Amino acid sequence: MSDEGSGRDHTDIAMWGAPGSGKTTLLAALSIALSRRPQQDWRIVGGDAPSTDFLIQNTLALSGVGEFPEATKDRNRYRWTLLGPPAGKNGRRRGKPAQVTATRININLMDPPGGSFGDSHHLSTADKSELISSLEKSKGIIFLFDPIREFEKGDAFNYLFAPLSQLASQMLASSDKYPDGKLPHHLAICITKFDELRVLQTASELTLLTTDPDDVHQFPRVPQDDAAQLLQELCSISATGNADIMLNTLTHFFHEDRIKYYVTSSIGFYLDPMRKVFDMADPVNLVPHAPLSSPSAAEPMPSRIRGQVHPINVVEPVLWLGQQVLNEHANGSPAG
Amino acid sequence: MTDGGGDLLRKALTKAIDELDGSARLIVVEVAADGMTTFTLHRDDAGTPRGHHGPVTPWNIAGEQEWEGTADDASGKEAIVRASGIRSHASVILICSFPDGLQASRAMEWLREARPDAPHFTKAHVPVPALLREILADEPLKRSYDLVVLKRDAVSGRLELATQPLFAIGARRGQPVRVRVRCEPGDDRGTAFAVASWQNIQPSLLSVQSAVLSPGRHEFWATLERPGVVRFSGLPALVPDDRRWEDLVASVPATLDPQIGPAHLICAVEVSGSSDLVDERLRRVRQVVTTCAGALPDRLHVSLLAYGTHGFGRGEREEPVEVRVWHVSPKTALDSLSGLELRGARPEGYPYAVQIEDALHEVHGRLGAGTGDRVVLLTVGGRPPHPPRAEARILPCPHRHDWEDLLHRLRRRADLTLGAICDEPEERATPVWRTLGEGARAHLEVVDIRRLCSDLGLVASAAQRIPFPLYDP
Ligand SMILES: Nc1nc2c(ncn2[C@@H]2O[C@H](COP(=O)(O)OP(=O)(O)OP(=O)(O)O)[C@@H](O)[C@H]2O)c(=O)[nH]1
Ligand SMILES: [Mg+2]
């Protein structure tokens, strides 16, 4: 950070998601995804020792052994900085290459242990204050929606959207910082685990799948504009099925044009090492893996990653948010 | 014929015996040094010449004293002639083997007087019993001798009593003949080897001997010891069987299960998993092969496939389905099974499915057009196959084999029966395993092997016992 004094608490992007929604994995994959970019323009670095350790260990585990990060046990706060290509004021170069400094985007991850939000969809007081402070401090929020949790528990959507909306309305009511009646944040809503068969199939049934002609592996994608439709469909499968209402509610508190939807996968689809082309008949990149310690048959078996990790839409939401934050810095408009 | 060489005597006896017919008798009286012996010869129901003799009648029955002096010839003669039994319709031959004896010569005279028609021979020391035995034994067969067998109608499976020729009319003792039959499991006495002689269409039983034999083809020798006695060699522990013929015949089932023809048993066994489980599966395969080999001797071919999990994880190698043996004898298959048992289980691997689809692919490919033999595919395992395309939580088969299609093709074969021994009990078995066990299914822990094999048509149902050997062309 250039301004060292206030830098420690300065957050550009906050990340939220239910336990097990894939927050930690997304971050581990972010580092892989960045290094896979042909431009090699962005890097991620830890803001302190534990955060650096986290990155190194989880990235290695994910791409090397094929292991997912362990469920977060403690109330962790990780701080990372994305270092990108230098940008001049207002995005214009001044022709002084010697002076360039890297563009920085700070990511602050609140990584609460699974289940700390309780099972009644109500946040604990501590979590509420944490969430409020994160909303107040950050300019962009990455929100993870776990479709698998939605399939299995039917509450992934409600899990955080409901408290988030509640908090937003409280903030709007109690403060006059928001004259236009909306929170100024940019919101990247990420549907995670796109690689899971049920998610892929839902997208396929809705004919939302496309491929990037430049992608040699021909991995399927859901275009940005169709992501919200997939989200609605995924939510309508759940018992509660009030996703459209919730999505409308969200636009009461945030600017509609500051919300973007992404269909993401941290690990990506399986790629046969011989064929090297995506095969719709065999897309799943997970393989069940029995831990040696607990041979209990009752628990669903944990998974390992089957092949290479090919993250999908992991960098995009982060960079989009980062870009928005940078723009605001550049424009000098106060974010909150 | 007051005198004659041994040859003449032998010829006369042989001729007289040969002429014996129906209920006719031949009486041969030997007059010897110490008394007189009467031999009676006849043919029994089977046409076998039989002979027996009474006790020696000592000369003193005619009264010792009288013989010495002025004896009352009439009473002595009467006693001798009556004891000899020659006053009958039977043909008679008289032999004096002690011409120098006074009493013998006298008796001979009396007998000749009583039956002047009877040929008589005088030859010192001729061993009449041995001579008769020899003549009886040397007689060529007057009827053919056959072994009683069962013939099975190829289509209906119906069993019929039939015979397999052993010795033709005119056959003489000594020459062994080779016999080949097939045996099915009999009752606790085993299989009855019955020899019958035929006259016109009437058989009559010569002898029944039984032995408990391993089911299957048996080859042995039959030797004619003498008329009426056939000795079998090359069959273990034959004992005379005193069961009534009617009972034996009544115990022949109407049919021999028509399906129990030659068969090809293909065992596909899952070798991934805990070693206890895999050991148990292999043990079951062994039991099935052993049981069927016993029931289908010489008619069973066995194939053995070992399948396991696909290698999906990182660093896991894909081990293909192993065709251990194909269409070999049960013994070779059991040897190969021992190899599997020694090698032990492959790791648990991918938990939700195994290479059944690859095993089906192998079987389908190798079976080809079919040989006419029945085929039984017995799958022994627990996990389902992989689908050809990703489906629910199960990864697809790396070779994209389609078990449903393969099973469909296999089931269309008229010659194929599907059987399964599943780790899971009936109520928990997946639909795939129901299809795999369409013909017969059992739970690994409680398999009634005999029942399973009989449901698969590989062994006769327990009640079916075949008391006679089967004709084996
Ligand atoms: N298929 C698939 N599964 C994923 C992906 N990312 C995460 N998961 C699964 O989700 C589980 C939880 O992922 P985490 O990254 O630990 O989730 P989290 O949100 O950090 O969870 P907590 O730390 O418990 O709050 C992982 O163990 C994986 O099984 C993904 O991209 N694809
Ligand atoms: Mg976590």
Side-chain angles (χ1 to χ4, degrees), chain A residues 17-27 68-73 109 111-115 144 146 148 192-196 264-268 285-286 302-303:
Chain A
S21 58
K23 300 182 291 291
T24 319
T25 311
L26 189 91
L27 279 160
F68 284 102
E70 282 185 19
T72 309
K73 290 190 193 76
L109 170 69
D111 206 2
L144 300 196
D146 178 359
I148 300 306
T192 57
K193 309 182 186 178
F194 174 39
D195 58 280
E196 290 265 356
T264 72
S265 167
S266 299
I267 63 168
N285 202 12
L286 293 173
S303 296

Side-chain angles (χ1 to χ4, degrees), chain A residues 63-64 66 197 275 279 281-283 288 305-307, chain B residues 312 314 350-352 389-392 395-396 398 400:
Chain A
S63 61
L197 197 60
R275 294 176 202 155
D279 183 353
D282 189 14
I305 298 154
R306 184 177 165 200
Chain B
F312 288 117
R314 294 184 179 201
Y350 185 80
Y352 306 131
R389 301 176 57 80
E391 194 178 89
L395 289 174
R400 307 286 185 268

Side-chain angles (χ1 to χ4, degrees), chain A residues 98-158:
Chain A
Q99 294 265 310
V100 295
T101 48
T103 310
R104 291 166 167 268
I105 303 168
N106 291 318
I107 304 174
N108 190 340
L109 170 69
M110 288 178 54
D111 206 2
S116 79
F117 295 119
D119 53 7
S120 58
H121 308 165
H122 293 298
L123 296 179
S124 69
T125 325
D127 288 325
K128 267 184 193 161
S129 59
E130 182 98 44
L131 182 50
I132 288 175
S133 82
S134 118
L135 280 173
E136 279 175 341
K137 284 177 197 158
S138 60
K139 299 189 175 65
I141 301 170
I142 295 178
F143 189 89
L144 300 196
F145 168 81
D146 178 359
I148 300 306
R149 187 187 176 98
E150 183 68 22
F151 281 127
E152 272 153 22
K153 293 212 169 77
D155 69 350
F157 194 83
N158 290 6

Side-chain angles (χ1 to χ4, degrees), chain A residues 92-284:
Chain A
R92 276 185 281 113
R93 285 179 187 278
R94 276 182 171 175
K96 277 188 185 173
Q99 294 265 310
V100 295
T101 48
T103 310
R104 291 166 167 268
I105 303 168
N106 291 318
I107 304 174
N108 190 340
L109 170 69
M110 288 178 54
D111 206 2
S116 79
F117 295 119
D119 53 7
S120 58
H121 308 165
H122 293 298
L123 296 179
S124 69
T125 325
D127 288 325
K128 267 184 193 161
S129 59
E130 182 98 44
L131 182 50
I132 288 175
S133 82
S134 118
L135 280 173
E136 279 175 341
K137 284 177 197 158
S138 60
K139 299 189 175 65
I141 301 170
I142 295 178
F143 189 89
L144 300 196
F145 168 81
D146 178 359
I148 300 306
R149 187 187 176 98
E150 183 68 22
F151 281 127
E152 272 153 22
K153 293 212 169 77
D155 69 350
F157 194 83
N158 290 6
Y159 202 93
L160 271 177
F161 267 71
L164 183 70
S165 312
Q166 268 176 32
L167 282 180
S169 72
Q170 276 175 28
M171 283 167 72
L172 289 169
S174 64
S175 164
D176 49 8
K177 280 193 241 172
Y178 314 108
D180 57 355
K182 303 224 174 187
L183 293 174
H185 305 75
H186 287 86
L187 213 54
I189 297 175
C190 296
I191 301 164
T192 57
K193 309 182 186 178
F194 174 39
D195 58 280
E196 290 265 356
L197 197 60
R198 282 175 291 183
V199 185
L200 179 68
Q201 277 170 350
T202 309
S204 169
E205 279 156 23
L206 296 172
T207 63
L208 299 181
L209 296 181
T210 60
T211 45
D212 178 351
D214 292 336
D215 180 359
V216 287
H217 302 315
Q218 296 290 293
F219 287 126
R221 287 164 179 278
V222 174
Q224 182 98 61
D225 294 342
D226 296 328
Q229 194 191 337
L230 179 62
L231 178 63
Q232 291 213 7
E233 182 64 25
L234 291 171
C235 290
S236 68
I237 296 168
S238 77
T240 44
N242 51 2
D244 46 346
I245 303 170
M246 300 296 287
L247 286 174
N248 283 339
T249 314
L250 215 55
T251 58
H252 288 169
F253 307 120
F254 296 93
H255 292 279
E256 204 172 346
D257 58 356
R258 293 184 193 173
I259 304 175
K260 275 202 182 217
Y261 297 90
Y262 293 89
V263 180
T264 72
S265 167
S266 299
I267 63 168
F269 294 102
Y270 178 66
L271 190 69
D272 185 309
M274 310 305 278
R275 294 176 202 155
K276 289 204 163 59
V277 175
F278 172 80
D279 183 353
M280 194 60 181
D282 189 14
V284 177

